[in-house]
Amino acid sequence: MNIRRLNALIIKEIHQITRDPSTLLLAFFFPLLLLFIFGYGVNLDNNHLKVGFINESNDPLSLNLSYAFARADSFTLTLANTRPPLEEDLENGKIRGMIDIPERLGIITLTGIFSPSIQVITDGSEPNTAGFIDRYTNGIVQTWMSQEALFLKEFIPVIIKPRYWYNQGLFSRHFLIPGSIAIIMTLIGTLLTALVIAREWERSTMESMMATPATTTELLLGKTIPYFVLGMGSVFICTFIAIYGYNIPFRGSFGALTLVSAIYLLTALGQGLLISTVAKNQFVASQMALTSAYLPAFMLSGFIFDISAMPQPIQLLTYAVPARYFVTCLQTLFLTGDIWSLLLKNIAAIALIGLLFFIAIVRRTSHRLDE
Amino acid sequence: MITLFLQRIYGLILKEIMTLLRDPKGRFVLIVPPLLQLFIFAFAATLDIKEARIAIYNQDNGIEGQEVVAYIQGSPVFTQSLPVYNQSQIAPLIETQTVLAALIIPDDFSKNIDAHQSADIQIILDGRRSNAAQIIEGYLSTTIQQYMQAYRASKGFNALSVNVINRHWYNDNLNYLWFSVPSLVCILSMLIALIITALSVARERELGTFEQLLVSPLLPYEILIGKTIPAILIGLIEGCFMWAAAIFLFQIPFYGSTLLMLITLLTFIISIIGIGLFISAISHTQQQAILGTFMFMVPAVTLSGYASPIENMPIWLQKLSWFNPLTHCLITVRGLFLKNITATHVFSHLWPLWIITLITLPLATWYFNRRMQ
């Protein structure tokens, strides 16, 4: 291996990067855009759900319940006296649910003979929101019952005290942004690399490269080293913005972050290289990178959709997605700290997958043109 | 004149389709990934939690504590409940994400309950998975309430109880597939239409065959028409294919009108083509076209209401999402599947798509013409 040749190849690649605006756009502008989207756009904290509300009762007990709903942070109430206008709003998607408190709620409850029913109707076409409305309404009703019972000296046995570790305020942003760094790494590591090398094949400049004294190893290294540097640079910029721009706590160490990111980036680069040797044209390379790297990183890594919620076969599939391990490491490093038992396990998994990629590449890379 | 015009365009369309379909890898990539994606992501993309592992630290020696534990272990949601015998065992379990939550029953629990005093139960949850954790908190709360009801009934307490009846319109069982599959129909057809359009011009420019097109009898606007029609066709076919898969493979109910669905798909694909052409016009190389498509697609999908509800976004971002064709398509297609929405309603969401098309298509054409000079 000739360092001088390698250097020349790296400098050539750097020139190509700086002269192509789209590469710089992807490496620097796009991560910022993604951080922005996951910081503001994707928000799983339901705070402004529009919900309809009817109270057909008049007594103090039910009025207290109305106040409880009015004070609820997550709901913006649309009040009405009858159901039809609310039902229409529900159909049109203007409200996500409606709550109907029946007549004489308080009186019936106090007599204790029947249990009156509060009806909660939700828009099932958005199941997550509907589920949230169900749970939240249930919580409000339970709290109201406890308070009324205390007032009436009734006995309510159990008070539940929840505490959320690592993310007291339950900001979904706190786990979304660390996870999005994984997505950004996947884009730079896999998509960009796959495109760049497939491009050389497509334009036949790979032929010219093969006519040079440079060995295959030098060629591949010359292509990946600049993108490795670009990727690590991106990690640091994104982490910096996450901590100072979005106030995400960072409870781990930068050393651990660098280690984990470097190993993941190498694996992602390996995947990109493998895709480009298989695809040899940019359209196919981009589709493969998208399907095998980006979309799994987005959907199957646990970054936004919880893995334990997926059906068994798909959970098994996620073990083959390197991004899954990276997302866990990132969320832990940011929100918990350096939990080495967790980190080392995940790093080993990423490294194993990376090794498999590199073995496949060594086998597939030909120094011949007639393949 | 007209026949020549039609002949030329027909020739170009044929050439475009052959270019796309001749490469076996290209064919593969047009059919297999969208199908794979539809399957895997339909099942993967769920924000619901159906099972969780929790740890239980029961410091109570009495009956009531064990009753609570029995209720929780009996719930199908808590597939594994790890017993814990020491406070210090809890932190490592949550840190390493072995469990999502830990339940702590204090040692005076049974004593308090029997003395008709209130007792606390503490729940510790992993805030790193806050959405999942909140859902689990809800389940735990409901299970403990069931225990409470049973206890009070058994002791003959006056049941100050109010029932809450939950009804879910359009989707009784809150089946996530009924939400994600119709959404994926839109997203995946958008992906294909966008990539094909964006690459169509950029690829020719990069390989040098664009010049050959320019010296042919085709006029610039004919070239544009010839390039967009195959993309529209393929996008529409993919969309219909996914729609059929949704109904027959996933058994998603479709209550709306077939005609309205076709109109919606067509309008959506055309608006996407406008954007794809614009990306294509400003790109010099395929890489730029692909990355440009990407940089449009990722924000478009994440901000469309697919991953999280639009009302959770800041107001100014909600207004911006109006310009995203996917937002409108998602609402309309979901409505057509599950709600049987009326034509008026459909068109109220389609006219923004027309506006987007009317802005992007002329812009792309103008930019295109400029480039060719």
Side-chain angles (χ1 to χ4, degrees):
Chain A
M1 168 122 81
N2 189 323
I3 296 294
R4 205 186 46 125
R5 286 201 298 254
L6 184 60
N7 257 348
L9 286 171
I10 293 180
I11 294 178
K12 158 197 162 293
E13 199 60 39
I14 294 180
H15 278 310
Q16 270 186 298
I17 291 176
T18 47
R19 286 173 190 167
D20 185 349
S22 68
T23 313
L24 292 174
L25 220 61
L26 188 75
F28 295 116
F29 166 71
F30 196 58
L32 293 179
L33 181 65
L34 273 186
L35 280 179
F36 172 77
I37 292 177
F38 293 119
Y40 290 105
V42 179
N43 187 357
L44 297 172
D45 313 320
N46 296 301
N47 282 326
H48 306 285
L49 291 176
K50 297 201 195 64
V51 169
F53 187 77
I54 305 176
N55 188 352
E56 298 178 42
S57 302
N58 253 324
D59 49 79
L61 219 67
S62 68
L63 276 179
N64 283 341
L65 185 56
S66 293
Y67 291 146
F69 274 106
R71 277 195 312 262
D73 285 330
S74 296
F75 288 166
T76 309
L77 294 183
T78 307
L79 301 171
N81 288 322
T82 57
R83 286 176 65 145
L86 288 185
E87 286 175 359
E88 202 185 301
D89 280 347
L90 193 58
E91 208 178 290
N92 289 336
K94 291 214 184 80
I95 54 177
R96 292 282 180 215
M98 59 188 253
I99 300 160
D100 187 358
I101 301 183
E103 292 181 297
R104 298 191 280 274
L105 176 83
I107 302 169
I108 297 180
T109 311
L110 285 175
T111 59
I113 304 178
F114 304 111
S115 289
S117 301
I118 296 177
Q119 246 210 348
V120 176
I121 299 180
T122 50
D123 183 350
S125 68
E126 293 238 2
N128 194 45
T129 319
F132 178 82
I133 295 179
D134 280 347
R135 286 190 302 274
Y136 200 66
T137 315
N138 192 37
I140 295 179
V141 172
Q142 290 300 321
T143 314
W144 166 77
M145 281 208 292
S146 310
Q147 284 171 343
E148 297 298 334
L150 281 172
F151 179 68
L152 297 168
K153 306 257 193 310
E154 277 278 327
F155 170 51
I156 293 285
V158 184
I159 299 176
I160 299 174
K161 301 202 152 138
R163 262 198 62 207
Y164 288 85
W165 279 7
Y166 314 130
N167 187 357
Q168 304 279 49
L170 287 179
F171 297 114
S172 60
R173 177 195 283 196
H174 279 17
F175 69 82
L176 285 175
I177 289 201
S180 62
I181 295 182
I183 310 276
I184 295 170
M185 282 301 100
T186 312
L187 279 176
I188 296 180
T190 311
L191 182 65
L192 203 51
T193 320
L195 277 180
V196 152
I197 300 181
R199 181 174 62 189
E200 297 243 2
W201 280 110
E202 204 173 8
R203 283 193 191 159
S204 311
T205 54
M206 202 51 128
E207 272 186 50
S208 327
M209 299 286 261
M210 286 186 189
T212 67
T215 60
T216 322
T217 328
E218 287 165 8
L219 275 178
L220 292 178
L221 273 178
K223 284 250 163 240
T224 50
I225 290 179
Y227 292 103
F228 180 77
V229 173
L230 214 60
M232 289 309 286
S234 230
V235 170
F236 292 128
I237 295 179
C238 290
T239 310
F240 184 79
I241 296 180
I243 299 176
Y244 296 107
Y246 291 99
N247 293 318
I248 315 285
F250 187 75
R251 303 189 177 119
S253 67
F254 282 105
L257 182 67
T258 314
L259 178 65
V260 174
S261 308
I263 296 191
Y264 181 73
L265 197 52
L266 285 173
T267 306
L269 286 170
Q271 195 175 3
L273 267 179
L274 187 59
I275 292 177
S276 67
T277 52
V278 169
K280 298 218 169 67
N281 88 42
Q282 288 180 72
F283 172 62
V284 176
S286 71
Q287 286 297 302
M288 285 187 163
L290 224 72
T291 315
S292 67
Y294 171 72
L295 283 174
F298 189 88
M299 301 272 193
L300 301 178
S301 62
F303 146 68
I304 191 171
F305 300 118
D306 217 272
I307 294 182
S308 59
M310 305 178 193
Q312 267 306 98
I314 299 191
Q315 286 195 36
L316 288 176
L317 190 62
T318 64
Y319 283 110
V321 177
R324 173 215 167 115
Y325 307 101
F326 191 40
V327 166
T328 311
C329 289
L330 283 172
Q331 286 174 348
T332 307
L333 279 172
F334 270 83
L335 299 174
T336 315
D338 281 356
I339 313 292
W340 284 107
S341 56
L342 187 73
L343 289 175
L344 285 176
K345 263 198 320 211
N346 286 297
I347 291 177
I350 301 176
L352 183 64
I353 299 179
L355 198 62
L356 289 173
F357 283 145
F358 281 106
I359 294 178
I361 291 171
V362 165
R363 289 189 163 200
R364 274 209 64 116
T365 306
S366 59
H367 217 110
R368 301 165 58 92
L369 289 171
D370 50 351
E371 251 191 289
Chain B
M1 270 298 277
I2 304 281
T3 32
L4 271 180
F5 165 77
L6 285 175
Q7 261 180 354
R8 288 199 295 262
I9 296 195
Y10 179 67
L12 184 56
I13 295 177
L14 217 55
K15 163 202 158 299
E16 284 294 310
I17 297 188
M18 285 207 299
T19 322
L20 271 170
L21 297 180
R22 209 198 286 136
D23 177 16
K25 288 203 190 102
R27 279 201 301 266
F28 179 83
V29 144
L30 274 178
I31 302 180
V32 176
L35 268 181
L36 260 182
Q37 284 157 28
L38 185 63
F39 271 92
I40 297 182
F41 303 140
F43 289 111
T46 167
L47 288 168
D48 194 18
I49 300 297
K50 294 203 184 57
E51 50 172 50
R53 282 194 302 266
I54 61 170
I56 302 186
Y57 181 29
N58 186 0
Q59 299 174 291
D60 182 49
N61 281 320
I63 302 179
E64 301 309 326
Q66 281 163 7
E67 273 291 298
V68 173
V69 174
Y71 265 87
I72 291 181
Q73 285 176 331
S75 162
V77 174
F78 304 114
T79 49
Q80 261 186 358
S81 53
L82 298 169
V84 159
Y85 303 106
N86 203 319
Q87 184 80 17
S88 60
Q89 285 179 319
I90 295 181
L93 285 176
I94 296 195
E95 260 176 17
T96 56
Q97 296 197 326
T98 314
V99 296
L100 182 53
L103 197 85
I104 303 179
I105 304 175
D107 53 10
D108 53 358
F109 187 75
S110 290
K111 207 167 59 122
N112 280 332
I113 299 282
D114 288 333
H116 299 167
Q117 310 252 339
S118 284
D120 295 344
I121 290 186
Q122 216 196 1
I123 307 180
I124 298 180
L125 300 128
D126 186 350
R128 286 173 295 187
R129 296 159 61 189
S130 62
N131 196 49
Q134 283 178 296
I135 297 180
I136 290 300
E137 188 204 331
Y139 282 131
L140 280 170
S141 178
T142 316
T143 313
I144 294 178
Q145 276 159 34
Q146 285 169 349
Y147 155 75
M148 273 163 60
Q149 299 282 55
Y151 181 85
R152 294 161 74 238
S154 74
K155 299 291 179 192
F157 272 102
N158 189 2
L160 179 80
S161 71
V162 173
N163 290 331
V164 178
I165 298 185
N166 294 302
R167 270 195 56 208
H168 310 116
W169 278 8
Y170 315 124
N171 185 350
D172 292 331
N173 295 321
L174 286 189
N175 188 339
Y176 263 81
L177 284 178
W178 290 20
F179 167 80
S180 55
V181 175
S183 310
L184 281 170
V185 169
C186 303
I187 294 176
L188 293 176
S189 30
M190 174 176 95
L191 190 52
I192 292 280
L194 209 52
I195 278 265
I196 292 180
T197 322
L199 277 182
S200 61
V201 175
R203 187 190 184 133
E204 303 232 13
R205 243 194 236 142
E206 187 171 325
L207 293 178
T209 56
F210 200 63
E211 261 111 49
Q212 295 168 352
L213 260 186
L214 289 176
V215 299
S216 71
L218 289 163
L219 296 169
Y221 75 90
E222 288 171 356
I223 298 180
L224 272 181
I225 297 181
K227 290 213 167 274
T228 50
I229 294 193
I232 295 179
L233 273 176
I234 294 189
L236 200 56
I237 293 177
E238 289 270 354
C240 291
F241 190 54
M242 305 265 165
W243 173 25
I247 299 180
F248 298 111
L249 281 174
F250 285 95
Q251 311 277 321
I252 317 281
F254 186 80
Y255 296 120
S257 132
T258 317
L259 180 63
L260 284 177
M261 179 71 173
L262 281 170
I263 296 179
T264 308
L265 274 179
L266 189 63
T267 318
F268 176 60
I269 302 267
I270 295 180
S271 65
I272 293 296
I273 301 287
I275 297 174
L277 262 185
F278 184 69
I279 297 175
S280 201
I282 61 178
S283 309
H284 291 283
T285 64
Q286 281 188 78
Q287 173 176 322
Q288 291 177 349
I290 291 171
L291 293 179
T293 309
F294 210 66
M295 288 196 251
F296 167 76
M297 209 200 60
V298 170
V301 171
T302 19
L303 296 178
S304 64
Y306 171 65
S308 76
I310 295 196
E311 47 256 44
N312 289 355
M313 301 183 206
I315 302 285
W316 53 274
L317 210 52
Q318 288 185 36
K319 299 225 190 297
L320 219 65
S321 77
W322 189 92
F323 289 99
N324 180 358
L326 192 56
T327 317
H328 300 285
C329 185
L330 284 182
I331 301 178
T332 318
V333 168
R334 266 206 304 270
L336 280 170
F337 265 87
L338 302 173
K339 297 188 194 181
N340 187 12
I341 54 182
T342 57
T344 337
H345 204 191
V346 169
F347 285 116
S348 73
H349 282 293
L350 286 187
W351 71 262
L353 290 180
W354 282 118
I355 297 200
I356 296 173
T357 316
L358 285 173
I359 300 179
T360 50
L361 264 182
L363 206 65
T365 323
W366 170 79
Y367 208 84
F368 212 167
N369 279 329
R370 251 193 44 171
R371 284 260 159 210
M372 296 214 266
Q373 258 101 37

